[in-house]
Amino acid sequence: MKRLLFIYNPHAGKGLLKSKVSDIVDMFVKAGYEVVIYPTQAYKDAYRKVQQYDAKEYDLVVCGGGDGTLDEVVTGMMQREERDPIGYIPTGTVNDFANSLHIPRDIMNAADNVVNGTLFSCDVGRFNEDVFVYIAAFGVFTDVAYQTNQQMKNVLGHLAYLLEGTKRLFNVPSYRIKVTHDGEVIEDEFILGMVTNSRSVGGVRNMIGKNVVFDDGLFEVTLIKTPKNPIALQEIIAALLIEQVDTKHMYTFKTKEIYFESLVEIPWTLDGEFGGEHDEVSIRNEQKKLQIMVSEETKERLAETKEETKDKKSKKQ
């Protein structure tokens, strides 16, 4: 019999997963798995559990929780010499990565996807010595996810993020940064920087482009310049909301590797969790290193998007 490790965060989202655990495990057993259940007890608990289990102890690791819990599971897996596939049951407030890969929001449908779907080899990011799944970011609003109270998230959902985010409008930090990628150097003042592999950020879809390919070895980079006046700030917000690049106010490009240097240490966010303060950051794409379960339909759609992107690129050339 195959063995499955089911790690879940009982506090993620509105705690709805707890009442479904028995049904989920029953589905896993019927699919031919012996199941070990582990509810997380503290911050970084999922990371330690995944990093430390014995080689070949499990055939599949399933994560139940939000983007932060998934980040811990993936980070732990990337520290292992032998890596197992990951299944994801998203129960967080935003679930950007799950939405990008069309993983069902319904808990039981997501559980079915875990054991009856297919493997997709997805890119993952290295951030200095750390790991991120879909976003590394600095600047305005990026600390909202990890500074918003969990109980507040559970009760208010997206509204909690909006309430917390409005506080940042009155104190927008600005950073002078030297950015190096693909032989090019950019030096400017920025209020926000994002290195992403996702179709949505903070629940907003297509903010960083529609033609995102999750296994092409490239990240989408968005760097937003510090606005010189309130009108410029309004133009930046409008451009993001209508999904258009405003070259007056931002840099956008794709890259496999990027390096940030600043005079002061800047706080970074990795997948919605605090990633430390750094004055030097090296980010590189590790192509197809994360194996995650998706539906057959999703895998086909992702392959179609990849081909469409290739066609558009060849036409431009």
Side-chain angles (χ1 to χ4, degrees):
M1 182 177 277
K2 297 176 291 184
R3 300 192 81 226
L4 182 155
L5 174 61
F6 178 30
I7 299 174
Y8 74 95
N9 180 356
H11 305 294
K14 296 181 179 180
L16 297 175
L17 187 62
K18 288 189 287 188
S19 64
K20 299 283 189 179
V21 168
S22 179
D23 292 333
I24 292 169
V25 172
D26 183 64
M27 180 179 288
F28 291 166
V29 172
K30 283 183 168 64
Y33 287 94
E34 179 185 348
V35 182
V36 174
I37 309 170
Y38 188 83
T40 59
Q41 304 298 303
Y43 177 62
K44 291 287 187 181
D45 202 16
Y47 164 75
R48 287 187 288 269
K49 184 67 176 175
V50 173
Q51 184 192 34
Q52 294 172 1
Y53 69 74
D54 293 337
K56 300 183 179 178
E57 188 173 354
Y58 299 105
D59 300 282
L60 178 65
V61 175
V62 179
C63 166
D67 291 330
T69 309
L70 178 66
D71 175 88
E72 288 191 28
V73 169
V74 172
T75 300
M77 191 64 72
M78 291 299 293
Q79 304 295 340
R80 300 179 61 84
E81 289 186 13
E82 295 186 23
R83 297 170 187 154
D84 297 310
I86 292 173
Y88 185 31
I89 302 175
T91 60
T93 308
V94 178
N95 302 311
D96 281 317
F97 189 67
N99 292 336
S100 295
L101 291 183
H102 306 289
I103 294 173
R105 186 66 187 261
D106 178 81
I107 289 174
M108 296 312 297
N109 286 342
D112 179 74
N113 180 81
V114 164
V115 288
N116 294 311
T118 185
L119 279 178
F120 174 65
S121 295
C122 183
D123 296 346
V124 70
R126 285 281 180 187
F127 178 96
N128 290 347
E129 300 304 314
D130 211 333
V131 172
F132 66 96
V133 181
Y134 74 96
I135 182 170
F138 68 85
V140 63
F141 300 131
T142 57
D143 61 345
V144 169
Y146 64 81
Q147 288 199 357
T148 305
N149 179 273
Q150 181 64 57
Q151 188 175 7
M152 189 178 177
K153 290 183 196 176
N154 292 347
V155 174
L156 299 177
H158 279 85
L159 180 58
Y161 287 94
L162 293 174
L163 291 173
E164 187 70 23
T166 54
K167 300 176 186 177
R168 309 296 189 274
L169 288 173
F170 302 101
N171 185 25
V172 178
S174 177
Y175 305 104
R176 180 137 198 107
I177 303 176
K178 178 181 177 182
V179 182
T180 305
H181 73 96
D182 305 299
E184 180 182 349
V185 176
I186 300 168
E187 287 194 65
D188 215 325
E189 294 270 347
F190 300 105
I191 60 167
L192 175 65
M194 299 182 291
V195 181
T196 61
N197 193 36
S198 174
R199 287 203 181 100
S200 72
V201 174
V204 180
R205 291 188 63 82
N206 302 323
M207 182 188 287
I208 37 74
K210 297 178 182 179
N211 298 315
V212 177
V213 178
F214 297 94
D215 61 348
D216 62 352
L218 298 172
F219 286 126
E220 283 69 38
V221 179
T222 304
L223 303 171
I224 299 180
K225 302 177 189 178
T226 302
K228 292 182 171 55
N229 52 59
I231 293 175
L233 179 59
Q234 290 177 357
E235 290 174 347
I236 290 168
I237 293 170
L240 293 174
L241 291 177
I242 64 175
E243 303 161 17
Q244 287 188 359
V245 175
D246 187 338
T247 53
K248 288 188 302 181
H249 301 300
M250 62 184 73
Y251 301 91
T252 60
F253 52 88
K254 293 175 182 279
T255 189
K256 178 179 178 57
E257 194 164 352
I258 187 167
Y259 187 65
F260 296 84
E261 296 174 87
S262 55
L263 294 175
V264 298
E265 291 189 336
I266 297 173
W268 282 76
T269 300
L270 304 180
D271 299 329
E273 300 295 325
F274 182 55
E277 297 187 358
H278 309 271
D279 55 10
E280 292 187 14
V281 168
S282 175
I283 296 176
R284 71 178 186 276
N285 186 297
E286 297 208 350
Q287 188 174 13
K288 298 184 178 181
K289 293 293 175 127
L290 169 62
Q291 287 195 307
I292 191 161
M293 299 298 293
V294 299
S295 69
E296 289 281 1
E297 180 185 359
T298 293
K299 193 168 184 177
E300 290 173 4
R301 289 169 68 177
L302 294 173
E304 288 172 3
T305 301
K306 190 173 184 177
E307 289 303 315
E308 289 171 3
T309 303
K310 281 183 181 177
D311 290 343
K312 287 179 181 178
K313 189 176 180 180
S314 62
K315 287 177 182 177
K316 283 183 181 180
Q317 292 173 342

